[in-house]
């Protein structure tokens, strides 16, 4: 073997990261700026760039360069991650990669039409094929316990069904009775949330809230898109979007805080990791600084829910919101607003769900996905299985498949195994938050004064700066001293709703925790 220059691995990793960042930029443009006519050529551009990134990753010279890396722990970790990604990609036959890519773009159009026409039968053949290809993908990637492990590890490295299922069961046995107890109580008024809120003022208020948490506009920007998202080109260029509805105030407000949480993570990644493997998801061919989907989601939910929906936050900031919308909020006070934006109300649509019922939507999807992957459930049986579970957990009748099994884009995009990361994110958010409070005893007093810097700095030091250096379970271990643990999350939810809904604290403690 010929001598490989020591910086060869970094040079090649930098080129791959450049391509992934350009892919992100084209995707950002497609979702925020591109005229509708640009779609088909853009798909080809994305496919070409993806293929180039994949070629560079699978270039035998890159593997050799990675194998010869020596140096500090960070460089060794980067090389190991590259080698793992190369090995995973090599296990997947080219034929399967091509078929999946083709089906993903076809199936999304078929799904969109089927959803618009409320016609599950029109989507079923494409979905059946997608399930079959994902089962092949799981077999090709390999797994020890359950085929679902291979797929969920694409999004949450190291997460297994053996860990996930008991955790979800624990959450479900907590959430469902708590939901029933909440439903038996009088509901807060929310009428004022659907008054007319002019878009320009919503935008200004959302942006001010993002900056209050520390979103740096010198390295960021806020645009509008149909589905809000955050995307990073590197830590110096981290963009978010929001969706403004003039007849619904919480959408843009909390949507922006959610994406701000994602953005704080990316802006907090150490600049030293730019153009490295440690800001690249090499298996997913995506430039991202966060350790995993679940870890990322823990930060969006921490800032949106733990901080942005807290009583302390609204006690401090409601007056400014009222100043922006004096007519709309003239008959509302901070406590009333806080109760309204924390209202629990079972709904058919996941993306409209409140904090408590959201997890139930996730559990339903995870359960169905796992059964599809083992063949225990056929695609034809999906709508009935879906509707039965919605009835059982949420007490709702699904009127049609557009409001049921057809609502999410995920299955048409081939994203089997990604749903658990939303709930894992909720669980991790509470673990990280509890760890921050242990480490910084004055944290809650600071938050009550509107000082968000100390929390952000603790998260940056312990989580953000590391990028993808550590796997999610390593980050948890380093910051909390243990693995995934739902207890802090359950205590948070029970405590919060006991207070908001006047539930009997002694009963809650005995029954739910
Ligand atoms: Zn998110």
């Amino acid at each position: 073997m010929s001598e490989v220059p020591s910086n060869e691995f970094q040079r090649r990793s930098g080129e791959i990261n450049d391509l992934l960042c350009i892919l992100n930029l084209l995707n950002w443009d497609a979702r925020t700026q591109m005229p509708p006519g640009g779609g088909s050529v853009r798909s080809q551009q994305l496919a070409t760039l993806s293929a180039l990134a994949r070629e560079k990753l699978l270039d035998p010279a890159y593997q050799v360069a990675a194998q010869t890396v020596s140096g500090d722990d960070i460089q060794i970790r980067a090389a190991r991650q590259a080698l793992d990604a190369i090995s995973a990609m090599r296990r997947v036959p080219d034929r399967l990669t091509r078929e999946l890519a083709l089906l993903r773009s076809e199936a999304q159009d078929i799904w969109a039409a089927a959803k618009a026409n409320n016609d599950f039968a029109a989507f079923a053949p494409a979905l059946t094929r997608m399930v079959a290809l994902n089962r092949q993908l799981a077999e090709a990637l390999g797994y020890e316990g359950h085929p679902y492990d291979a797929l969920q590890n694409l999004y949450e490295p190291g997460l297994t069904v053996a860990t996930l299922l008991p955790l979800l069961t624990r959450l479900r046995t907590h959430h469902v009775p708590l939901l029933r107890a909440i439903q038996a109580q009088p509901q807060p008024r929310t009428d004022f949330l659907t008054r007319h809120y002019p878009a320009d003022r919503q935008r200004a208020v959302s942006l001010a809230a993002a900056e209050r948490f520390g979103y740096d506009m010198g390295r960021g920007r806020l645009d509008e898109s149909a589905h809000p998202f955050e995307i990073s080109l590197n830590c110096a260029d981290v963009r978010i979007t929001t969706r403004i509805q003039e007849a619904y105030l919480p959408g843009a407000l909390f949507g922006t805080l959610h994406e701000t949480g994602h953005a704080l993570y990316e802006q907090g990644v150490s600049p030293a990791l730019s153009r490295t493997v440690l800001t690249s998801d090499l298996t997913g061919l995506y430039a991202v600084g966060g350790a995993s989907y679940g870890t990322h989601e823990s930060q969006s939910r921490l800032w949106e829910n733990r901080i942005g929906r807290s009583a302390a936050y609204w006690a401090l900031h409601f007056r400014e919101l009222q100043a922006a919308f004096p007519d709309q909020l003239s008959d509302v006070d901070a406590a009333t607003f806080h109760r309204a934006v924390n209202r629990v109300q079972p709904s058919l649509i996941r993306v409209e769900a409140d904090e408590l019922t959201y997890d139930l939507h996730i559990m339903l999807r995870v359960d169905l996905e796992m059964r599809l992957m083992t063949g225990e459930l056929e695609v034809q049986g999906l709508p009935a299985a879906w509707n039965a579970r919605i009835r059982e957990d949420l007490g709702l009748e699904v009127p049609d498949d557009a409001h049921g099994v057809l609502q999410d884009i995920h299955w048409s995009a081939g994203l089997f195994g990604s749903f658990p990361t939303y709930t894992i994110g909720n669980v991790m958010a509470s673990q990280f938050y509890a760890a921050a409070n242990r480490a910084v005893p004055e944290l809650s007093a600071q938050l009550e004064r509107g000082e968000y810097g100390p929390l952000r700095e603790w998260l940056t030091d312990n989580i953000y700066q590391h990028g993808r250096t550590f796997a999610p379970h390593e980050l948890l271990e380093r910051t909390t001293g243990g693995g995934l643990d739902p207890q802090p999350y359950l205590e948070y939810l029970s405590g919060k709703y006991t207070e908001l809904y006047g539930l009997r604290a002694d009963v809650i403690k005995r029954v739910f925790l």
Side-chain angles (χ1 to χ4, degrees):
M1 200 163 61
S2 61
E3 186 70 21
V4 181
S6 64
N7 63 358
E8 183 67 1
F9 174 68
Q10 281 141 292
R11 188 185 67 76
R12 287 175 179 269
S13 298
E15 285 180 357
I16 294 171
N17 184 266
D18 288 343
L19 288 173
L20 301 186
C21 288
I22 296 167
L23 276 164
N24 279 7
L25 179 61
L26 288 184
N27 273 314
W28 172 83
D29 174 79
R31 295 165 73 178
T32 60
Q33 312 289 326
M34 187 180 74
S40 65
V41 169
R42 179 59 49 89
S43 301
Q44 287 162 347
Q45 295 164 343
L46 292 169
T48 299
L49 274 173
S50 274
L52 273 176
R54 193 179 142 82
E55 253 170 53
K56 282 191 175 291
L57 179 68
L58 295 180
D59 184 336
Y62 185 53
Q63 187 176 13
V64 171
Q67 280 163 342
T68 52
V69 165
S70 58
D72 61 20
D73 182 48
I74 300 286
Q75 287 164 316
I76 304 279
R77 279 173 177 270
R80 197 190 309 140
Q81 287 187 26
L83 291 170
D84 286 349
I86 292 167
S87 151
M89 282 214 170
R90 289 234 172 98
R91 290 199 293 277
V92 182
D94 284 345
R95 169 204 59 82
L96 182 53
T97 304
R98 272 198 309 275
E99 281 181 45
L100 266 169
L102 197 64
L103 183 60
R104 277 185 190 124
S105 67
E106 286 173 7
Q108 285 179 60
D109 292 340
I110 297 169
W111 162 77
K115 184 181 173 185
N117 301 323
N118 184 30
D119 184 2
F120 181 75
F123 179 48
L127 182 56
T128 302
R129 233 177 102 56
M130 190 60 95
V131 169
L133 291 183
N134 272 274
R135 284 166 72 172
Q136 291 175 33
L137 180 63
E139 293 304 323
L141 289 167
Y143 54 87
E144 278 174 22
H146 193 285
Y148 196 63
D149 290 346
L151 300 177
Q152 64 177 350
N153 283 177
L154 295 171
Y155 311 96
E156 203 61 22
L159 183 64
T160 61
V161 166
T163 302
L164 180 66
L165 272 193
L167 188 142
L168 293 186
T169 303
R170 175 117 185 263
L171 295 188
R172 189 161 177 235
T173 52
H174 168 270
H175 287 21
V176 173
L178 180 57
L179 175 61
R180 299 288 175 268
I182 288 170
Q183 285 178 302
Q185 297 297 107
Q187 294 299 319
R189 62 176 280 228
T190 54
D191 56 293
F192 48 87
L193 297 177
T194 50
R195 290 173 179 163
H196 181 81
Y197 293 89
D200 56 338
R201 267 182 278 164
Q202 281 201 52
R203 194 178 192 288
V205 160
S206 299
L207 186 57
E211 291 192 272
R212 182 181 290 146
F213 282 169
Y215 181 47
D216 175 3
M217 291 301 286
R219 299 183 289 144
R221 56 178 288 140
L222 176 67
D223 292 88
E224 287 175 42
S225 64
H227 301 281
F229 64 95
E230 171 276 329
I231 200 158
S232 97
L233 307 182
N234 70 56
C235 63
D237 186 348
V238 179
R239 307 176 184 196
I240 59 174
T241 68
T242 196
R243 175 175 173 232
I244 298 176
Q245 301 151 271
E246 293 204 309
Y248 187 63
L249 179 63
L253 197 56
F254 290 100
T256 306
L257 293 187
H258 181 96
E259 301 311 328
T260 297
H262 285 300
L264 292 178
Y265 196 163
E266 295 289 326
Q267 288 192 334
V269 172
S270 163
L273 301 184
S274 289
R275 298 188 76 243
T276 73
V277 168
L278 302 177
T279 48
S280 312
D281 173 356
L282 291 180
T283 319
L285 289 180
Y286 186 70
V288 61
S292 68
Y293 281 63
T295 320
H296 234 297
E297 203 60 22
S298 78
Q299 296 312 303
S300 54
R301 283 164 197 253
L302 194 160
W303 288 101
E304 177 197 353
N305 293 332
R306 297 301 305 254
I307 310 300
R309 287 183 205 267
S310 66
Y313 182 87
W314 289 109
L316 270 176
H317 303 301
F318 180 71
R319 215 180 277 275
E320 293 154 60
L321 189 69
Q322 208 175 28
F325 302 108
D327 298 336
Q328 296 87 336
L329 295 173
S330 58
D331 58 342
V332 184
D333 62 17
T336 306
F337 190 81
H338 172 243
R339 275 196 296 276
V341 298
N342 282 289
R343 179 178 181 172
V344 173
Q345 186 172 37
S347 66
L348 293 166
I349 306 295
R350 174 183 60 87
V351 297
E352 293 168 6
D354 57 75
E355 220 181 327
L356 180 66
T357 57
Y358 193 94
D359 290 323
L360 297 171
H361 285 274
I362 295 303
M363 290 174 215
L364 151 76
R365 285 154 179 78
V366 172
D367 180 53
L368 298 180
E369 283 190 346
M370 284 179 41
R371 286 157 63 197
L372 285 171
M373 283 308 130
T374 56
E376 204 183 310
L377 177 68
E378 299 285 340
V379 164
Q380 290 87 327
L382 265 181
W386 182 289
N387 299 350
R389 181 74 174 258
I390 290 287
R391 191 178 305 125
E392 194 182 337
D393 283 2
L394 298 175
L396 297 174
E397 291 301 323
V398 179
D400 54 54
D401 290 334
H403 291 86
V405 70
L406 282 174
Q407 66 182 265
D408 297 313
I409 193 172
H410 296 56
W411 290 342
S412 69
L415 298 171
F416 287 89
S418 68
F419 278 121
T421 64
Y422 297 107
T423 286
I424 294 296
N426 282 333
V427 169
M428 279 191 196
S430 282
Q431 289 188 261
F432 288 138
Y433 192 62
N437 275 287
R438 281 194 301 273
V440 187
E442 57 278 27
L443 197 64
S444 55
Q446 290 165 335
L447 294 172
E448 275 167 25
R449 293 196 297 269
E451 296 165 14
Y452 304 106
L455 173 61
R456 191 182 64 251
E457 280 152 26
W458 186 89
L459 293 165
T460 302
D461 288 348
N462 289 278
I463 302 170
Y464 304 168
Q465 64 155 328
H466 299 301
R468 301 175 68 85
T469 306
F470 302 109
H473 67 273
E474 289 178 305
L475 268 182
L476 271 178
E477 185 74 46
R478 288 168 58 99
T479 50
T480 71
L484 273 177
D485 174 11
Q487 191 66 22
Y489 180 47
L490 298 183
E491 283 171 13
Y492 154 66
L493 288 176
S494 284
K496 169 172 169 164
Y497 293 120
T498 296
E499 203 171 314
L500 278 167
Y501 279 91
L503 306 176
R504 281 194 44 203
D506 57 324
V507 176
I508 295 297
K509 211 167 181 90
R510 200 172 61 242
V511 177
F512 304 132
L513 293 173

